[in-house]
Amino acid sequence: MLSGVRQKRAGFCSAGGNMRWMRGVLTAIIVMAGLTEHASAYQRTVHFRTNREEATVAGTVEGEEVVQYKVPARVGHFLLIGCNAKSSKVSFWVRDPGGAEVYNSRVHNAAAYVGRPEQDGVYVVGVFLRKADAARGHAAFFHLRVLRKSLPEG
């Protein structure tokens, strides 16, 4: 049996040793969460050709990544955003300029977001894999179709 002094030095029964270990684990988790969020924070802008109301972008989403696209819109526009993928692993969400989630394909039964912007600004669309597939490191190809139409006043 180890003496009390040797147990303390080895860190077996020391609360301080356990606390340092837990602090180190929590720090690592926070750092990793920050890196993951930073890695997925890059946003591409959806470009509409002159006098065109529709744009299509394509890409691949992999693992825990969230591929984000910025869609400029104004009050008086009509937005239709749909995501097509051969794989059912792919989902997407839409956030308004204030950052509030207005659509999530995992929650809503509709295949596309349909809405009228209540404020001018940039809507953000995030494409991601479902949790189980993301955890396995899967990847999937997708097409994101955005229709932005100006509605007549009146």
Side-chain angles (χ1 to χ4, degrees):
M1 186 166 170
L2 294 172
S3 70
V5 173
R6 287 182 68 195
Q7 284 180 346
K8 264 192 173 177
R9 278 191 191 150
F12 293 129
C13 295
S14 167
N18 286 337
M19 292 301 289
R20 278 187 297 245
W21 181 81
M22 286 297 292
R23 199 173 324 144
V25 169
L26 288 173
T27 301
I29 290 170
I30 291 168
V31 167
M32 292 304 290
L35 290 175
T36 302
E37 188 174 323
H38 179 69
S40 65
Y42 177 73
Q43 298 174 345
R44 300 158 182 91
T45 301
V46 174
H47 296 282
F48 294 86
R49 292 185 183 182
T50 307
N51 298 324
R52 301 285 290 197
E53 299 172 334
E54 186 177 333
T56 302
V57 293
T60 301
V61 62
E62 199 172 330
E64 302 278 336
E65 173 185 37
V66 177
V67 181
Q68 297 183 23
Y69 293 94
K70 297 187 291 186
V71 180
R74 288 189 238 159
V75 174
H77 279 161
F78 167 83
L79 281 179
L80 178 113
I81 303 171
C83 184
N84 296 324
K86 289 182 181 178
S87 171
S88 63
K89 305 172 196 175
V90 179
S91 299
F92 75 102
W93 47 252
V94 178
R95 292 189 178 145
D96 67 14
E101 189 171 282
V102 294
Y103 176 84
N104 189 321
S105 63
R106 290 192 58 202
V107 176
H108 298 84
N109 290 329
Y113 167 73
V114 179
R116 295 175 97 169
E118 295 179 8
Q119 57 185 319
D120 291 352
V122 175
Y123 281 68
V124 179
V125 180
V127 182
F128 61 97
L129 292 176
R130 298 180 190 265
K131 283 187 180 184
D133 298 305
R136 290 186 203 113
H138 289 184
F141 184 76
F142 65 89
H143 287 276
L144 191 67
R145 183 177 172 205
V146 180
L147 176 67
R148 181 185 69 181
K149 187 170 179 112
S150 295
L151 298 174
E153 291 186 33

